Amino acid sequence: MNNEYRSAWEKCLNVIKDNVPSSSFKTWFEPIEPVKLENKVLTIQVPSAFFYEYLEEQFIDILRKTLRMVLGNGAKLEYNVVLSNKNSNEPYTVSYPTNNNNKIQNKPLTVPLKAEEKATIKNPFIIPGIQKLQIDPQLKPDNTFENFVEGDCNRLARSAGYAVAQNPGGTAFNPLMIYGNSGLGKTHLSQAIGIAVKENFPDKVVLYVNANKFQTQFTEATRNNNRNDFLHFYQMVDVLILDDVHEFAGKEKTQETFFHIFNHLHQMGKQLILTSDKPPIELKGMEQRLLSRFKWGLTADLQTPDFETRMEILRRKIYKDGITLSEEVLEYIASHVTNNVRELEGALVSLLAQSMLNKREITLELAAKLINKLVKNSKRELSIEYISKVVCDYFSMPVDALQTKTRKREIVQARQIAMYFSKSLTKYSLASIGAQIGSKDHATVLHACKTVNNLKDTDKNFRQFVEDIEKKLKM
């Protein structure tokens, strides 16, 4: 029985290893030591408080699910956190439970149904069979206004979001649409509004959902003939936060359903918050009646943070984690990692992890070595517009040619190559790619990718075209 806790943790690691990147597994799971297992409570020892907080922030969901899979329902996790002792050379440990974030949870809804009618409305976020309609807001507790650093790059969006949180559905900012490139804080800010609403109005039902998850739920509801339940579920929400709405491009049935949900919520004075990578006027593959509604409220953008904002983000991060870094190290990071907030925080986390695991002081030299490697290896996020431009420049044709209905061989070929690289180098769905390149459907994009792959294998000149364009895109 002495090794029961080790055996349980090994089983957990085998599952986790298949579900996280190998670099994350090596950095965040290999250093963990199992300590004991009592009454389905597994205690694990981690090297520091920062390590504990990062696991809770990034990996708690997979830890909990894996623990339940290995030990059964009711399984719990506890941490032994190693801390340094100022009065002795010997470290000591402190026990922490997992966080219990109930403050932002929605209260169970009483569903208004007529007597003798169907007794439940299916909740697309839970497994069927649960009686109460408990709606999980799907909010991440750390995504608060307090943790969102304000700067010139985001002041309008943040101010509007704060106003909405004080009076959801009662301002002119309905819907509030926040747009910007990936990694600039759209999800954080939209969730911060939801968290503030729950703090100010505990009885309001707040729900955050990503557009891809909404689409998956809608497809499942259609397959099971539960579309009315799906519609009614979303119409009961007081504050609906829909992330990455641009993913609806080309999905007509999903857009139609969301159109009805939008209309109902707006007419009932409920609040809608949308995020997108582009403003409404630039969204393609979307119904005009839906785009017109996106423009009813306020559209606010998030821009790349300037140097001072990046410095404040870093200072806030190390203060929260209880870590001290010199100003010259922070300035080096802020000067070299400039694309977005996600990369900035990721670079800091990597630096802290390397320092902690290798027991090395974070010097300017160490920061320069790691940051230069990260910047060199980081992939520039490509847009479909940029890919289309590179392809058209290579073939000496205007970008607008890809949007025409012509069947000229050279234009069809260029369009297929643009679709091929958009699929392989971006995270856009096939429907979204088709909508932005020639207003085509997802089947056309699939056909284009197959055609390009076939021609690469059989046509030497065509293969050279593709290789030349790929080099230009990866420069």
Side-chain angles (χ1 to χ4, degrees):
M1 295 294 290
N2 290 339
N3 289 323
E4 187 179 0
Y5 62 91
R6 292 189 182 279
S7 175
W9 181 240
E10 280 298 323
K11 291 178 182 177
C12 289
L13 287 180
N14 288 336
V15 175
I16 292 170
K17 193 172 187 177
D18 292 334
N19 290 278
V20 301
S22 58
S23 58
S24 296
F25 182 82
K26 185 177 180 64
T27 301
W28 299 107
F29 291 97
E30 286 189 357
I32 295 174
E33 289 290 334
V35 176
K36 64 181 178 179
L37 175 61
E38 292 180 0
N39 300 321
K40 288 192 176 182
V41 178
L42 178 66
T43 303
I44 58 175
Q45 184 170 295
V46 297
S48 69
F50 166 70
F51 207 103
Y52 153 72
E53 289 173 2
Y54 193 80
L55 285 174
E56 281 284 296
E57 182 178 332
Q58 300 294 331
F59 299 111
I60 189 58
D61 285 342
I62 191 170
L63 279 167
R64 283 175 175 159
K65 289 176 182 176
T66 305
L67 208 60
R68 285 197 296 270
M69 184 186 303
V70 173
L71 299 178
N73 291 333
K76 294 182 180 179
L77 187 66
E78 189 172 87
Y79 301 87
N80 269 9
V81 180
V82 178
L83 301 176
S84 60
N85 193 339
K86 293 181 180 179
N87 301 318
S88 168
N89 291 328
E90 293 296 320
Y92 65 100
T93 62
V94 175
S95 294
Y96 290 120
T98 56
N99 287 332
N100 184 20
N101 301 300
N102 292 323
K103 188 174 182 181
I104 61 176
Q105 294 300 309
N106 291 315
K107 295 180 180 179
L109 283 182
T110 303
V111 183
L113 294 166
K114 297 178 181 178
E116 304 301 326
E117 285 189 349
K118 189 165 63 172
T120 61
I121 289 178
K122 293 184 183 298
N123 182 340
F125 286 91
I126 62 173
I127 297 171
I130 297 177
Q131 296 301 313
K132 284 186 177 179
L133 193 60
Q134 175 71 52
I135 300 178
D136 183 346
Q138 311 284 321
L139 298 171
K140 190 176 176 182
D142 283 343
N143 283 343
T144 61
F145 277 114
E146 290 73 20
N147 292 334
F148 188 86
V149 177
E150 182 177 346
D152 291 339
C153 57
N154 58 35
R155 186 164 286 115
L156 172 61
R158 188 189 185 282
S159 299
Y162 190 80
V164 166
Q166 306 308 307
N167 187 17
T171 71
F173 311 146
N174 193 18
L176 172 61
M177 188 166 193
I178 304 165
Y179 74 92
N181 292 330
S182 178
L184 295 181
K186 298 188 297 294
T187 298
H188 185 150
L189 180 55
S190 63
Q191 289 203 8
I193 301 169
I195 291 172
V197 169
K198 289 302 299 179
E199 292 172 349
N200 297 329
F201 309 93
D203 291 333
K204 286 193 178 295
V205 178
V206 176
L207 178 62
Y208 164 89
V209 61
N210 182 276
N212 277 328
K213 190 165 191 176
F214 184 95
Q215 165 70 19
T216 302
Q217 292 171 349
F218 172 71
T219 302
E220 188 69 20
T222 302
R223 184 182 299 118
N224 296 327
N225 295 318
N226 293 325
R227 289 177 65 173
N228 285 339
D229 282 349
F230 178 83
L231 198 64
H232 293 153
F233 172 86
Y234 275 96
Q235 288 176 343
M236 291 188 297
V237 175
D238 295 311
V239 178
L240 178 59
I241 305 167
L242 184 67
D243 205 359
D244 293 335
V245 72
H246 55 268
E247 289 293 340
F248 283 172
K251 300 169 182 174
E252 295 178 3
K253 294 294 184 183
T254 304
Q255 290 182 41
E256 181 183 353
T257 299
F258 181 64
F259 173 79
H260 294 303
I261 292 170
F262 184 106
N263 274 355
H264 178 86
L265 293 179
H266 198 276
Q267 289 168 8
M268 297 298 292
K270 310 300 186 181
Q271 179 68 47
L272 291 118
I273 300 161
L274 312 171
T275 78
S276 170
D277 62 352
K278 297 181 182 68
I281 195 171
E282 294 180 19
L283 289 176
K284 296 181 180 178
M286 304 286 281
E287 290 187 15
Q288 285 303 314
R289 60 177 183 170
L290 201 52
L291 289 177
S292 68
R293 279 157 177 77
F294 291 171
K295 301 172 187 176
W296 280 355
L298 175 70
T299 300
D301 69 328
L302 298 181
Q303 299 172 359
T304 303
D306 56 25
F307 178 78
E308 287 303 321
T309 305
R310 296 198 297 273
M311 283 292 291
E312 183 57 30
I313 290 169
L314 293 172
R315 291 191 189 104
R316 192 86 61 91
K317 180 71 175 172
I318 64 171
Y319 176 79
K320 179 186 172 187
D321 293 332
I323 297 165
T324 302
L325 287 181
S326 67
E327 280 291 299
E328 64 175 0
V329 169
L330 293 180
E331 288 175 0
Y332 189 89
I333 299 172
S335 298
H336 288 77
V337 185
T338 59
N339 285 345
N340 59 54
V341 177
R342 189 178 298 143
E343 287 184 8
L344 188 67
E345 292 184 342
L348 179 61
V349 167
S350 296
L351 185 60
L352 296 176
Q354 288 291 327
S355 169
M356 177 183 61
L357 295 174
N358 297 323
K359 296 181 171 57
R360 294 176 61 189
E361 181 185 357
I362 300 177
T363 62
L364 183 59
E365 289 73 24
L366 178 63
K369 184 177 180 181
L370 180 65
I371 298 304
N372 288 341
K373 186 185 297 184
L374 287 173
V375 171
K376 183 178 179 181
N377 292 337
S378 64
K379 283 187 176 181
R380 178 164 50 92
E381 293 193 12
L382 300 177
S383 66
I384 294 175
E385 289 88 346
Y386 178 74
I387 291 171
S388 299
K389 183 178 186 305
V390 170
V391 171
C392 289
D393 286 349
Y394 181 82
F395 290 113
S396 301
M397 64 175 64
V399 177
D400 292 344
L402 299 187
Q403 308 301 332
T404 63
K405 296 185 182 296
T406 180
R407 298 300 300 168
K408 287 184 179 179
R409 182 173 177 273
E410 61 272 20
I411 293 177
V412 171
Q413 198 171 76
R415 187 187 297 127
Q416 289 175 333
I417 293 174
M419 289 177 174
Y420 168 81
F421 281 117
S422 294
K423 180 180 181 296
S424 61
L425 299 179
T426 77
K427 296 179 181 178
Y428 286 95
S429 65
L430 296 177
S432 183
I433 292 170
Q436 296 187 56
I437 304 178
S439 299
K440 306 296 183 181
D441 59 19
H442 73 284
T444 304
V445 179
L446 268 180
H447 174 72
C449 294
K450 289 178 182 177
T451 301
V452 171
N453 280 320
N454 290 337
L455 287 173
K456 279 170 57 183
D457 295 335
T458 58
D459 187 326
K460 183 179 178 181
N461 290 333
F462 185 87
R463 182 167 63 250
Q464 189 63 51
F465 295 160
V466 174
E467 290 174 356
D468 289 346
I469 292 170
E470 187 171 17
K471 288 177 183 176
K472 291 178 178 295
L473 290 170
K474 292 186 175 181
M475 284 177 60

